[in-house]
Amino acid sequence: MSSFTVENEGFEEDDENLPPKRRDKNWRVPDLKPWLAETNSDEETKNENETEENEEGSPSGRRGRRGKKGLGAAKKKANTKKDKKKIDADGSDSEEEKTEEELDKLKEAVEEKKKLIATIRNKPWKMKQKLEVLKDAQEFVEEFEGALGKGKGKKFYAYKVMMLKKWMKFQRDFENFKTACIPWEMKIKEIESHFGSSVASYFIFLRWMYGINMILFGLTFGLVMVPEALMGKPYGSMPRKTVPRGEQHSAMNFATLWDFSGFAQYSVLFYGYYNSQRTIGWLQFRLPLSYLLVGIGTIAYSFMVVIRTMAKNAHDDGGGDDNSFNFSWKMFTSWDYLIGNPETADNKFASITTSFKESILEEQENRKEENIHLVRFLRVLANFFVLCTLAGSGYLIYFVVRRSQQFALDGLDKYGWWERNEVNTVMSLLGMFCPTLFDVISGLENYHPRIALRWQLGRIFALFLGNLYTFLIALMDEINLKREEEKIVQHNMTQWYANIYNASYSENSTVPFQVDPSDVPRGPCWETMVGQEFVRLTVSDIMTTYITILTGDFLQAVFVRFFNYCWCWDLEYGWPSYCEFDISGNVLGLIFNQGMIWMGSFYAPCLPAINVFRLHTSMYLQCWAVMCCNVPHARVFKASRSNNFYMAMLLFILFLAMLPVIYTIVSIPPSFDCGPFSGKQRMYEVIQETLDNDFPAWFAKVFGYASNPGLILPFILLMVYV
């Protein structure tokens, strides 16, 4: 294309790269004269009038000449309108005047203008020039885009263009609506702007965990708890749904309910309340089958979601080199010029400042030189201290659990509050103080902050996992004791029923002897005992977390804020200063708590609901605490672009939490007088019972062949390989 001169700028450019200044209304597309005759005539008339105005002479002479010119222009314009009406009357004459070559040129010009509109932001021009060129291009597209159609097709084309614009606007508004519907999005953005992406990654992870637990709560609440409450037998109708006579006087005490005993124990919150009847209600709802499938389905769903999230993060993590000219990009492209809110501008300013700190620290860590021998010695010493801490915490938990078993055999009525809650309290205290000790030990290693965070996460993960499995081993010992007690109770109940039968049908009795369900002896129900332990541990962990935030971070921040004016040294920059947000401890607390939910929800269907409440309140409380009581880390670093490290630990603890549940379903006989599987040798027998009663014989045979280990193992290996 031909070059042109930009007068004001003083240089020549190719038309493809730099369009001219804003054209006046005389400009028109070359080679498009046949259908622009009317516009040309009007513009020529206007130019002639303007020329006459600039000539010297008397006002009357100017008016006379202008009148003559105006009269001639009016006649010419009238003739043009007549010609246009004649052409319109003839039908498609105007369309025939447009040759194929002219239509191609017009189409090419429209496409060029559209391309210019799409890429005008990337042009190195002044803002005023950009706006002028953009307005010209938009007017040109609006004027000549519809001319590409023919006859009725022209109207359809204009309608299609209009609908396309409306659809694009709807998509844009819908994306904004979806962003506004994301829970706590603005809170997390505000935290990220002040504390960096590493702290924000914790709250994003917490929000993701909240969504998972909402699904788990919906499954257990809708398919287990609600059917039993609406269609099952009511409270007091049978022994498993009735508080024993000896416990009724204290069943509603606060201490009893806080310990999840009394009426809480004999309710839909725990395993032992559910009846073993195969179908319940007028819907013939198969509650035992639903209970088993929901217990297995929650674990399967969690596996699917975690693995899918890891795959998505791995896919998003690849591609592109974002380290080239890092500081230049941050300097010239960080600010968002669409910001109009002062508070948002402050947050954006803090975010850019934090981003520069992250990048500067990255460069410093990459260029740092160290004494390798000293560093290795300190790292070995730090790991030795960590192993000693892990071993000591495991032994302490095993010791207190054995003590609690002895207290249970002697009777908890003889002991106080500490002896009854010793296990939960010790585990919560270890989870609160050991991460702080690990943080102090990690100062010897001098790792990069991101690597130090991963080591810290791994150590706290090992601590929590060791504590949890030590707790499970102690629970297995208690389960064995309960099963031995169950055999004795079962033998005594046989004799008791025999005595009741003899008393009911004695020679002197005409009416059968009625026994109140609260007076019937019952077994220990080890499943409810396991569920109570997990619920107590979860509630104790929640209370410890909240008390730590309120009495630790908040009170320390208040002390530093108000006593800094009258102290001997600067409390804000010296000791104790404001607290930093503990990323590793909080992340591992979430993962450890979720492992307890997966492990205990089979014995206590109320656990997902408790965890949903915990996560919901934690989001608000911790967001408030981190903005009011914490300061950014002294060594600010950028978190990795994916949370796969968190997800890997979550997947690992999900696998470990699944093992005890599968072991109890497959290997341990259920209690004989409580729960939906009472009366069966194994819990999974409910599936075979359903196949025998509700499905044809051929289907049960096919299912038996499909469940053969010879077919399952190759299928599992194939899935792992893929």
Side-chain angles (χ1 to χ4, degrees), residues 27 70-71 74 111 161 165 221 257 274 279 292 315 322 387 484-485 491 514-515 559 561 609 691:
W27 182 88
L71 182 60
E111 293 298 329
V161 171
K165 292 180 180 179
F221 186 77
L257 295 176
Y274 295 87
T279 59
L292 179 66
H315 177 73
D322 59 351
L387 290 176
E484 294 296 330
E485 182 183 351
H491 177 71
Q514 298 293 331
V515 180
F559 176 79
R561 175 68 177 83
L691 291 174

Side-chain angles (χ1 to χ4, degrees), residues 264-285:
Q265 179 179 350
Y266 299 95
S267 65
V268 292
L269 302 180
F270 293 101
Y271 169 93
Y273 183 83
Y274 295 87
N275 193 14
S276 59
Q277 188 177 356
R278 197 173 71 87
T279 59
I280 60 173
W282 60 274
L283 289 177
Q284 297 297 305
F285 186 79

Side-chain angles (χ1 to χ4, degrees), residues 552-617:
D553 295 355
F554 178 68
L555 292 182
Q556 182 174 342
V558 170
F559 176 79
V560 172
R561 175 68 177 83
F562 291 101
F563 284 86
N564 189 39
Y565 301 102
C566 56
W567 208 257
C568 301
W569 62 85
D570 193 345
L571 295 178
E572 293 185 355
Y573 292 95
W575 185 85
S577 75
Y578 295 105
C579 295
E580 295 180 353
F581 186 76
D582 185 11
I583 303 172
S584 55
N586 284 283
V587 168
L588 264 299
L590 278 181
I591 295 176
F592 171 69
N593 181 74
Q594 189 61 39
M596 290 192 297
I597 301 303
W598 283 323
M599 202 177 297
S601 59
F602 187 78
Y603 313 103
C606 64
L607 265 179
I610 295 175
N611 201 39
V612 166
F613 173 78
R614 179 251 174 94
L615 295 174
H616 190 86
T617 54

Side-chain angles (χ1 to χ4, degrees), residues 208 304-318 641-644 647:
W208 184 85
M304 180 186 69
V305 172
V306 173
I307 293 175
R308 183 177 179 181
T309 304
M310 291 181 67
K312 182 180 179 181
N313 289 344
H315 177 73
D316 295 341
D317 196 28
R641 287 189 293 172
S642 70
N643 288 331
N644 269 0
M647 294 297 171

Side-chain angles (χ1 to χ4, degrees), residues 633-651:
H633 290 74
R635 303 179 70 191
V636 182
F637 64 95
K638 182 169 65 175
S640 58
R641 287 189 293 172
S642 70
N643 288 331
N644 269 0
F645 188 70
Y646 298 162
M647 294 297 171
M649 290 188 295
L650 189 64
L651 182 63

